[in-house]
Amino acid sequence: MTYLRYSAILTVLMKSEKISELTTSRLSVYLRCLNALHAAGIKTISSQALAEQFNLNSAQIRKDLGYFGEFGVRGVGYYVADLRDHITKILGLDSPHRVGIVGAGRLGTALANYNGFARSNFTVAAVFDNDRQKIGGRIGDAKIAVHDVDQLAKVIREESIDVMVIAVPAKAAQRVLNQVMSAGIKAVLNFAPVSLTSRRGVKVKTVDLTTSLESLSYFLSQPSSVAVTQPRSHSRSEESFPQRRKGAKAENL
Amino acid sequence: MTYLRYSAILTVLMKSEKISELTTSRLSVYLRCLNALHAAGIKTISSQALAEQFNLNSAQIRKDLGYFGEFGVRGVGYYVADLRDHITKILGLDSPHRVGIVGAGRLGTALANYNGFARSNFTVAAVFDNDRQKIGGRIGDAKIAVHDVDQLAKVIREESIDVMVIAVPAKAAQRVLNQVMSAGIKAVLNFAPVSLTSRRGVKVKTVDLTTSLESLSYFLSQPSSVAVTQPRSHSRSEESFPQRRKGAKAENL
DNA sequence: CTCTGTGAAGTCATTCACAGCG
DNA sequence: CGCTGTGAATGACTTCACAGAG
């Protein structure tokens, strides 16, 4: 099957294993790093050198990549431009995504203006709200139109939106998610601090600021500030650091 | 040791095990739920009933709580108000925290106005920037003062800030983190899309929107949209759902 | 008889360690 | 000889299953 390796679709099907979200998150991080290396004119990099950037194990990187093919060259490492292209395809970032944001509050507005999206081939195509004051207006430098939430399905279709961001108050979030799912959306990034129920085939990723902060609070309340184990992998920020230690890394993807 | 159980400090020291961040994140979620139950006038709840709220295993909840003491009553469950108080203490949310935000851009401003913080005993006490235009001003409804980043250490001391939020561009983040650490801060929430190096005893939690979105993109690019395994625990949003299934949950703490 | 608390088993992720390619 | 790719070993987290308290 080696000769099929460079097909984006086949890459993904090569092994029937399911890929953990931990792996895809790391791929995203590797990609960011590879882009920087490429911009710096660096041509090749070993898994060891790449691992040092994030304080993770080089075997982890090789394993992550190994799920999708054999991209390295023994005795050399990985060609930066080549690996970058592969990961871009693996993550589906070679084709553009269009994003809709529900909630034109402060967070929604900040996200609508977030420039980091464009770099990954994401474009914010529409914002939705239920506030008559905001509907019909435009926000941000890009003058993105604010639509009535009732027009969700219609606008999603017209604008070919495939990813939705939920930035509404907690009590409205499930209702909004239901509407979003009805409109056929399969990927949702949720900022409302609630546990949402999604249906099969719909991926909801929640970013919960309250939980993040409260978790930090627990850490602060620990006597020595060293009684928290890391969630896994990377981010061995504190104690329990093995032999090598040149400064800990903070991740939490 | 049972008679010491109700001391906040002892609670934390009871077992010498290290507590995973996965556990503390879930505690935060339980707490939110308990607050809602309390407000709804519900007096007791079993681990089974609580688990159903998040589609996680009831043993998981009992285990999480078990690290800190025995809070339940056999045959009955947990007293809502009682458990709420315990978790509040465990997470260190019984004493207030003061938050500083570096970066008065859109995200920093949105965060400065985020009301969700107050509920958990967090107060945003100061914002920092390096833009002369912004320094000396005040932002948000609460009119929080914007300080020069050069005054970081001084203001942190004066305002008794113990948690810092980094909301600056990626290339400035490490420098800011270094300053923040020098000022003695032990807990940092980072929104810059970079892997930061922290020193021992300093906890950095990164919220990386790009990585979250790119991870969603991978999911979208999967043929059947069912080839992604869950990170662990909850959030068994798709396929591979065991026997019971009344609708999947989306977490990802 | 119900529901907690917890060892034991099971599942999944990371790290080790090395064969073997370039 | 260096570095990848990968089975095997280790470690972490979750779920099972049940003794025993109320």
Side-chain angles (χ1 to χ4, degrees), chain B residues 43-48 71-80 83:
Chain B
K43 300 295 184 207
T44 67
I45 188 156
S46 67
S47 59
Q48 178 61 52
F71 306 127
V73 180
R74 289 159 196 244
V76 177
Y78 300 87
Y79 289 105
V80 171
L83 186 56

Side-chain angles (χ1 to χ4, degrees), chain B residues 4-121:
Chain B
L4 288 169
R5 188 178 301 150
Y6 292 86
S7 149
I9 295 178
L10 265 284
T11 298
V12 149
L13 294 174
M14 280 194 71
K15 314 211 176 180
S16 60
E17 287 173 88
K18 308 243 184 272
I19 304 302
S20 147
E21 200 171 315
L22 294 167
T23 293
T24 58
S25 292
R26 281 191 300 263
L27 287 178
S28 167
V29 172
Y30 304 157
L31 179 56
R32 179 185 293 152
C33 187
L34 289 165
N35 280 322
L37 290 169
H38 185 73
I42 294 164
K43 300 295 184 207
T44 67
I45 188 156
S46 67
S47 59
Q48 178 61 52
L50 196 54
E52 281 165 9
Q53 302 269 330
F54 318 112
N55 277 44
L56 39 94
N57 190 289
S58 64
Q60 172 111 79
I61 294 180
R62 296 197 299 275
K63 268 259 151 75
D64 284 340
L65 297 174
Y67 293 127
F68 302 98
E70 305 197 355
F71 306 127
V73 180
R74 289 159 196 244
V76 177
Y78 300 87
Y79 289 105
V80 171
D82 192 44
L83 186 56
R84 180 201 56 179
D85 293 348
H86 274 110
I87 296 180
T88 300
K89 282 206 184 78
I90 291 166
L91 291 177
L93 299 171
D94 51 337
S95 60
H97 292 287
R98 293 176 62 78
V99 178
I101 298 174
V102 190
R106 281 187 257 257
L107 182 58
T109 304
L111 292 170
N113 280 293
Y114 182 52
N115 295 320
F117 290 163
R119 215 161 144 38
S120 311
N121 226 340

Side-chain angles (χ1 to χ4, degrees), chain A residues 101 103-114 127 134 139-140 167, chain B residues 106 110:
Chain A
I101 298 173
R106 280 188 258 258
L107 182 58
T109 304
L111 292 170
N113 279 293
Y114 182 51
V127 175
K134 291 172 179 167
I139 58 177
Chain B
R106 281 187 257 257

Side-chain angles (χ1 to χ4, degrees), chain B residues 98 100-102 125-129 147-164 175-186 199:
Chain B
R98 293 176 62 78
I101 298 174
V102 190
V127 175
F128 300 87
D129 208 296
H147 301 269
D148 190 326
V149 145
D150 291 344
Q151 304 295 304
L152 209 52
K154 178 165 163 283
V155 177
I156 284 172
R157 215 178 319 114
E158 288 171 359
E159 295 283 351
S160 308
I161 288 169
D162 59 349
V163 177
M164 288 294 289
R175 190 173 63 240
V176 167
L177 176 60
N178 294 343
Q179 291 179 261
V180 162
M181 291 190 297
S182 297
I185 294 293
K186 298 277 182 271
R199 63 171 185 242

Side-chain angles (χ1 to χ4, degrees), chain A residues 134-185:
Chain A
K134 291 172 179 167
I135 295 167
R138 288 175 179 273
I139 58 177
D141 308 332
K143 300 288 176 206
I144 301 160
V146 181
H147 301 268
D148 190 325
V149 183
D150 291 344
Q151 303 294 305
L152 209 52
K154 177 164 164 283
V155 177
I156 284 172
R157 216 179 317 113
E158 287 172 358
E159 294 283 351
S160 307
I161 288 169
D162 59 349
V163 178
M164 289 295 288
V165 172
I166 296 183
V168 302
K171 63 184 196 306
Q174 183 66 59
R175 190 173 63 241
V176 167
L177 176 60
N178 293 344
Q179 290 179 262
V180 162
M181 291 190 295
S182 297
I185 293 293

Side-chain angles (χ1 to χ4, degrees), chain A residues 91 120 195 214 217 232 251, chain B residues 91 120 195 214 217 232 251:
Chain A
L91 291 176
S120 311
S195 183
E214 294 190 351
S217 173
R232 179 144 269 156
E251 276 302 307
Chain B
L91 291 177
S120 311
S195 182
E214 294 190 353
S217 173
R232 180 143 267 156
E251 275 302 308

